[in-house]
Amino acid sequence: MRLHDYQESAVRFALASFRDYGGCGLFLDMGLGKTLTTIAIMDIWHAMHPESRFLVVAPKTVAVNTWPDELDKWSDSHRLDYAVACGAKPDPGKRTEALEAGATVTIINQENLGWLDSHVDVWPWDCIVLDELSGYKSPTAKRFRLLKRRRGNLSSAPGRSRHGRPVSWVLGLTGTPAAKGLMDLWAQCYLLDGGHALGSTLTSYRQRWFVPGRHNGDVVYEWLPRPEAYGRIMGAIAPFCLTMLARDKLPGLPRRTVIDHMVAMPDDTRTAYDAFRRDKWMELDGAEVSASNAGVLCNKLTQFTAGCVYPDPGMDAPVMRLDDAKLDEFDRILQESQGEQILVFYQFRDELARLKARYKGMVHTTDEPGIVAEWDAHRVPILATHPLSSRFGLNLQHSGHIVVWLSLTWSLEDYTQANARVDRQGQERPVQIHRIIEPDTVDARKLSVLAGRAELAGAVMEELRRD
C-alpha cells in the first residue's frame, strides 16, 4: 500500500507511542484515512511480532462494512487475515465461528463487547484498536469499565492475570476527542495509557484540573476547568496523542460552505411553543403533552420546531402535526439544487414520514440494501437519515455534495461525523451544508452550543497537531 506522507508520520508516531506509553491516540480529521493507517500499523507490528493478534472494536456499520472492505481492498499490500464477529443477539453463531477462526485480526462491534467479555475468559489478543474512541468517553458506561479491566492486563505478567495474556497496546481512533469538553478526555486517555497522564481515577482528574460549576448541595452537574487546565492537560497527553487536520494534510479539498436558512415559526405554532415553554404542559387535539424535567422540555421544544409534537407516553393519540414551515424551506433548497442529490438529516420519525409523503419515491433511507451503490449511480434524489444511523462508515462523497439539516442535533460529534459523509477525501465539489433554523427557539440555542463545542474541540485538535 502507498501511504500519504502524513499517514506514514502517523504510523511512526503510533509505533513509538506503543513502545514508550503502551498506547496511542490518533485524532485524525474525517477523511484522512484512519482505517488504512491502522492497517499499516498492524501489518508492521505483525511483521515484527508474528505471534501478535489484534482486536478491532468499532461501531457496527464500520465493523461490518468499512473494516472488511478496506482490508480486502488493500489485501495485496498486507499480510493480515481477519474475521468479523458481529452476529446478532438471537444468533451468536457467527460471532463464535469468527472467534474460533483464530484470525490475526478479529473485528467486533461495540455492542457485542459485553458478550465477548463473558464468552472469552482468556483474551488471545495482544493489541486492541478502538475505532471511534470517543464512544468510551463516559467512565460509567459498561463498555468503558469492561475495557478498563481488560486494559489492566497491560501491567500484568503473562499467564498470571485472570484474563490471560497482557495487552501489548491500545490504539484509539477518533476525529472528535473532546466534543463536549475536557471532561471527555479522561476515560479515553485512560484506555490508552492506563491513567498515567491524567490520573488513575476520574475523581483525581477532577480535583486536579476542575472546580464545581452548577451544583445542588453535594451534587455537581457541571465541572469547570481551572484557568491552567487546558494547557496542562494538553501537555500531559501530547506525547502519545497526535492530531492531524484535513485542511493541513489535504489542501486540495473543496471548500465547505455553511448556509443557515432562517424560517419564521408560524404564528399558531409560536403561540403553542411559548405557552408550553412557560407552562410545561398543554392539551393538543385532546392529548396531553408535558415536560417533567429540562431534558424532556428541550426535546418537546425541538419537536415544535420540527412542526410536530408527540403525545405523552401511554396516550392513545397520534403525532400532532403543527406546520410544514421547514419542509417548505427544504422544498426551495431542493428546487435550487437543480437535480443534485441531497443528503438530509432529521431528528423525528414524523419528519421522515412527511418527507416521504411529500416527495413519494424520491426519498430513500440508509437502511435500504445497496443504497451507497444506488447513490453513486445517481438514482437517489433524496437520502434521508438520522445522524445516529449514519455518522460512521457511510461514504457518499463521490456523488453528492449537498447536506440539509431539517433539525439540528445538540452533539458536535454527531454533527461533524454526519457532515463528513460527503465532506471528506474524494470529494471534488464544494460542499454545501444547509441548516434550517427557526429564530428565537431552541434551534438558536443549538447553534450556540455547537459553535462553543466546536471552538474547544478545534483548540484541542490544534494543540496536539504536529506539522
Side-chain angles (χ1 to χ4, degrees):
M1 66 188 75
R2 178 67 179 95
L3 301 178
H4 293 289
D5 290 344
Y6 69 83
Q7 291 173 319
E8 292 181 353
S9 297
V11 170
R12 289 192 294 269
F13 180 88
L15 294 174
S17 297
F18 297 158
R19 179 194 65 220
D20 297 335
Y21 302 96
C24 174
L26 292 183
F27 302 159
L28 275 59
D29 256 354
M30 281 73 74
L32 289 181
K34 292 190 289 287
T35 306
L36 177 58
T37 300
T38 305
I39 290 172
I41 291 170
M42 293 191 296
D43 190 48
I44 293 171
W45 187 269
H46 188 249
M48 296 187 298
H49 309 282
E51 75 286 356
S52 292
R53 293 175 62 187
F54 308 88
L55 178 68
V56 175
V57 187
K60 186 173 182 180
T61 301
V62 180
V64 173
N65 298 311
T66 304
W67 273 97
D69 289 349
E70 289 291 293
L71 284 163
D72 290 341
K73 179 180 178 180
W74 302 103
S75 60
D76 292 340
S77 303
H78 66 78
R79 294 146 291 186
L80 304 169
D81 61 294
Y82 71 89
V84 181
C86 294
K89 285 184 178 180
D91 181 18
K94 183 178 179 181
R95 283 177 267 157
T96 303
E97 182 180 342
L99 298 183
E100 293 175 348
T104 304
V105 180
T106 299
I107 305 166
I108 194 167
N109 55 307
Q110 295 170 345
E111 295 81 359
N112 281 332
L113 266 178
W115 172 86
L116 184 67
D117 185 54
S118 61
H119 190 77
V120 182
D121 185 57
V122 178
W123 279 24
W125 303 285
D126 304 289
C127 315
I128 298 177
V129 176
L130 301 178
D131 196 348
E132 296 307 333
L133 178 66
S134 56
Y136 306 88
K137 61 191 174 188
S138 171
T140 60
K142 180 180 179 180
R143 67 179 63 164
F144 168 79
R145 290 185 280 110
L146 183 161
L147 286 170
K148 178 184 177 184
R149 174 162 41 82
R150 294 285 185 171
R151 181 64 174 79
N153 293 338
L154 182 62
S155 59
S156 302
R160 299 185 62 183
S161 165
R162 181 173 72 88
H163 296 293
R165 301 168 64 182
V167 177
S168 292
W169 48 256
V170 176
L171 174 63
L173 310 172
T174 185
T176 52
K180 290 187 177 179
L182 295 175
M183 287 298 297
D184 286 354
L185 292 174
W186 179 81
Q188 296 175 74
C189 289
Y190 183 98
L191 294 179
L192 301 181
D193 79 333
H196 294 290
L198 300 184
S200 58
T201 66
L202 178 61
T203 299
S204 65
Y205 178 63
R206 286 172 175 165
Q207 291 175 344
R208 187 175 182 184
W209 283 309
F210 296 83
V211 295
R214 291 187 301 110
H215 64 281
N216 182 7
D218 294 334
V219 180
V220 179
Y221 300 108
E222 180 183 25
W223 291 89
L224 303 176
R226 299 177 186 273
E228 74 280 7
Y230 173 78
R232 293 188 177 181
I233 292 171
M234 293 301 102
I237 68 176
F240 60 93
C241 292
L242 171 68
T243 279
M244 289 185 174
L245 305 175
R247 68 170 185 266
D248 295 333
K249 306 306 177 183
L250 300 173
L253 275 180
R255 73 183 188 279
R256 179 180 65 183
T257 302
V258 178
I259 306 166
D260 288 336
H261 300 253
M262 298 300 175
V263 177
M265 178 178 277
D267 292 343
D268 289 347
T269 306
R270 168 65 69 179
T271 299
Y273 178 94
D274 291 341
F276 187 79
R277 183 174 56 181
R278 180 187 65 245
D279 301 332
K280 303 177 181 58
W281 180 91
M282 67 169 38
E283 184 175 329
L284 285 174
D285 296 336
E288 289 188 4
V289 182
S290 61
S292 58
N293 55 54
V296 176
L297 178 62
C298 279
N299 182 263
K300 290 295 184 183
L301 293 178
T302 298
Q303 292 173 21
F304 276 95
T305 66
C308 62
V309 176
Y310 286 75
D312 285 352
M315 296 289 298
D316 185 18
V319 178
M320 293 158 280
R321 293 181 174 174
L322 305 177
D323 66 72
D324 284 332
K326 287 191 173 182
L327 280 182
D328 291 341
E329 186 64 21
F330 175 79
D331 194 61
R332 284 187 279 273
I333 297 171
L334 180 66
Q335 297 302 319
E336 292 175 1
S337 69
Q338 298 182 341
E340 294 282 352
Q341 296 184 129
I342 292 180
L343 175 64
V344 56
F345 291 103
Y346 63 86
Q347 292 293 321
F348 304 105
R349 289 190 300 271
D350 188 66
E351 291 177 288
L352 175 61
R354 283 182 286 153
L355 274 171
K356 288 182 173 180
R358 179 177 286 210
Y359 299 107
K360 310 301 180 184
M362 294 175 63
V363 178
H364 297 260
T365 54
T366 51
D367 58 353
E368 296 177 21
I371 191 62
V372 174
E374 290 294 297
W375 172 271
D376 287 343
H378 299 280
R379 291 193 287 264
V380 181
I382 301 170
L383 183 59
T385 184
H386 191 284
L388 286 177
S389 301
S390 56
R391 59 181 183 157
F392 303 126
L394 193 67
N395 299 329
L396 303 172
Q397 71 273 27
H398 300 297
S399 300
H401 67 112
I402 300 176
V403 174
V404 176
W405 287 86
L406 282 180
S407 295
L408 277 175
T409 175
W410 290 97
S411 167
L412 176 65
E413 181 179 11
D414 292 349
Y415 177 73
T416 54
Q417 291 279 8
N419 289 333
R421 298 313 96 206
V422 299
D423 189 17
R424 61 194 301 116
Q425 188 173 7
Q427 179 60 259
E428 297 180 350
R429 293 180 289 175
V431 173
Q432 298 177 18
I433 298 175
H434 299 262
R435 307 186 299 191
I436 304 178
I437 306 298
E438 294 189 337
D440 300 320
T441 70
V442 69
D443 280 355
R445 177 59 179 157
K446 289 181 180 180
L447 285 180
S448 176
V449 168
L450 287 174
R453 289 174 177 173
E455 183 177 358
L456 175 60
V460 170
M461 296 288 275
E462 283 282 354
E463 192 72 27
L464 298 175
R465 64 190 284 224
R466 286 166 175 80
D467 295 326

